[in-house]
Amino acid sequence: MTWTEPSSTATALLLLGRGSDPSSEKGVDCPGELPAPSDPDLVARAAAAKAALGDRLFVLGHHYQRDEVIQFADVTGDSFKLARDAAARPQAEYIVFCGVHFMAESADILTAPEQRVILPDLAAGCSMADMAVLGQVEKAWDRLGELGLADGTVPITYMNSSADIKGFVGRSGGTVCTSSNAERALRWAFERGERVIFLPDQHLGRNTAVLQLGLSLDDCVLYDPHKPHGGLTPEQLTSAKVILWRGHCSVHGRFSLDSVREVRERVPGVNVLVHPECKHEVVLAADHVGSTEYIIRTIEAAPAGSKWAIGTELNLVRRLGNAHPDKQIMFLDRTVCYCSTMNRIDLPHLVWALEELVAGRVVNEITVDADTAHHARVALAQMLALP
Ligand code: SF4
């Protein structure tokens, strides 16, 4: 694999989250004295703190996390698997979530009240989750109500959304979905209503509706929360089968048709494997599309000598490349791009959070209020009950 390391990443990460809204997924500055990133003892300090906490601690590591952090994870996985793993570990008093804010919220929703969920850096948010804010979604729902369409509309939210949005969906008779079960969620919704409003990732919604349910692009409309009435006429909303929220992942949204063309020219025989958060034209041009877990399984099952250009987060692609040296694995784009908010969880933040726990202080705890958590659990339970 050939990698071009970004020179500006460190600066960009330092600037992220400064002075931002505490209720935002982009988070806020982290309080406390962090160890210096240059401290040569960080690995030993993290290991010592983890050992001191023993079974009282459970560390979750999302697939997109850095290697330096993943080495301390008790389990790795996607956001939903990790939240369920945490719920299955009732003896763990502290759940340290190496991921982003909405994931830690989901862990808090699914774990017992006495279990405390910690996000080592509060500035680790998700730009996609931030693109659907409760007030905006309620306004869109009210608009559907004014037009007499709310009763026939089923809301679906992707796991990558705030607890507020999951709570809204639970209150409104909808479901959560992941990138693995979005097709089942849409089919379930169409048995209950004439249309779906899909939050917050337009690409997952569009790719699933068109490629898996066989709907046309004209069946989908794009609701822009920054325009009056979403930028849609009553006729457009009435005739739509899928109302896509104007949100996207800033990492997966970067891959373009040119990225696919360029890698095919450069690497004859390459297989292009992408995540459904990529744009529709990229997914159409790819050879395989699927969730993070699907991507991992596909690479594990691939024959030695095969060539793969993967369109997902760079930490995962790099780890897959290191784990499968008999296969040629490359990042789909020439420009490298990490999820900058995922990358905020680094060793200094992890060491700081763990050492504070050893000292009896819980820092950066993520809590979801009881009412929101209740309704979010309804939407998550509905997902688990999908046929
Ligand atoms: S990779 Fe995309 S969807 Fe995932 S946390 Fe980062 S911005 Fe959010």
Side-chain angles (χ1 to χ4, degrees):
M1 270 197 307
T2 310
W3 298 104
T4 311
E5 295 298 337
S7 55
S8 57
T9 305
T11 319
L13 292 182
L14 275 175
L15 293 172
L16 264 168
R18 298 277 166 205
S20 47
D21 176 1
S23 66
S24 156
E25 276 287 312
K26 291 192 196 85
V28 292
D29 289 337
C30 243
E33 287 294 316
L34 295 182
S38 56
D39 183 340
D41 297 330
L42 285 178
V43 170
R45 285 173 63 175
K50 202 166 174 241
L53 290 161
D55 280 352
R56 296 170 66 208
L57 172 73
F58 195 44
V59 181
L60 307 174
H62 189 270
H63 285 309
Y64 298 169
Q65 288 286 301
R66 303 156 176 260
D67 288 348
E68 69 185 51
V69 166
I70 278 288
Q71 65 180 316
F72 292 104
D74 293 304
V75 284
T76 59
D78 62 18
S79 57
F80 185 60
K81 174 184 179 291
L82 292 176
R84 292 183 80 184
D85 286 345
R89 216 18 124 86
Q91 69 274 32
E93 205 176 318
Y94 306 124
I95 310 290
V96 171
F97 208 123
C98 299
V100 296
H101 192 269
F102 76 80
M103 300 177 183
E105 283 187 327
S106 298
D108 185 55
I109 289 165
L110 292 178
T111 50
E114 63 277 9
Q115 290 183 286
R116 314 206 36 197
V117 178
I118 291 133
L119 184 65
D121 185 346
L122 290 180
C126 165
S127 53
M128 179 201 285
D130 256 347
M131 291 176 194
V133 175
L134 182 60
Q136 297 171 333
V137 173
E138 286 175 337
K139 207 163 156 190
W141 194 248
D142 288 348
R143 176 66 178 155
L144 292 173
E146 282 163 21
L147 298 172
L149 303 176
D151 282 348
T153 303
V154 179
I156 300 179
T157 190
Y158 189 23
M159 192 71 188
N160 301 18
S161 56
S162 68
D164 280 348
I165 299 299
K166 292 187 182 82
F168 167 83
V169 166
R171 268 194 298 275
S172 311
T175 186
V176 176
C177 76
T178 66
S179 51
S180 309
N181 62 21
E183 178 188 357
R184 283 193 283 140
L186 276 169
R187 290 193 191 284
W188 170 86
F190 280 119
E191 284 167 12
R192 274 146 195 87
E194 299 150 38
R195 79 183 61 68
V196 163
I197 180 166
F198 194 94
L199 306 155
D201 184 14
Q202 58 168 302
H203 299 306
L204 177 64
R206 185 180 293 108
N207 287 327
T208 309
V210 174
L211 301 176
Q212 296 191 280
L213 270 76
L215 298 179
S216 74
L217 286 174
D218 289 340
D219 289 325
C220 308
V221 293
L222 191 60
Y223 185 98
D224 183 342
H226 300 292
K227 289 187 178 165
H229 300 320
L232 296 169
T233 63
E235 294 71 32
Q236 286 173 308
L237 284 168
T238 305
S239 59
K241 290 202 165 52
V242 183
I243 301 167
L244 301 165
W245 193 261
R246 191 175 189 133
H248 66 273
C249 165
S250 43
V251 175
H252 292 95
R254 287 177 61 95
F255 301 112
S256 66
L257 214 41
D258 281 348
S259 328
V260 179
R261 287 193 192 117
E262 193 275 330
V263 82
R264 288 200 194 282
E265 272 175 33
R266 190 161 46 88
V267 188
V270 72
N271 296 283
V272 177
L273 169 59
V274 300
H275 193 282
E277 287 173 23
C278 292
K279 291 176 194 143
H280 189 58
E281 66 263 29
V282 172
V283 168
L284 283 179
D287 301 302
H288 308 271
V289 56
S291 65
T292 304
E293 298 290 346
Y294 172 86
I295 289 172
I296 294 169
R297 284 198 310 273
T298 302
I299 295 300
E300 281 170 356
S306 54
K307 302 171 199 172
W308 296 88
I310 307 181
T312 193
E313 210 277 338
L314 185 51
N315 278 310
L316 174 61
V317 178
R318 182 152 62 178
R319 223 162 9 249
L320 285 171
N322 291 337
H324 299 276
D326 58 329
K327 300 160 200 174
Q328 196 181 331
I329 293 173
M330 64 210 83
F331 192 55
L332 177 57
D333 203 17
R334 269 205 182 269
T335 312
V336 300
C337 182
Y338 296 97
C339 174
S340 53
T341 47
M342 280 273 182
N343 257 13
R344 290 207 60 108
I345 310 291
D346 56 10
L347 213 39
H349 283 88
L350 181 62
V351 167
W352 170 68
L354 295 180
E355 289 183 346
E356 288 292 306
L357 288 177
V358 172
R361 292 185 291 269
V362 178
V363 291
N364 289 5
E365 184 173 6
I366 303 297
T367 52
V368 177
D369 71 81
D371 184 59
T372 303
H374 167 76
H375 289 103
R377 260 193 302 275
V378 170
L380 286 162
Q382 178 50 63
M383 174 174 80
L384 292 176
L386 284 174

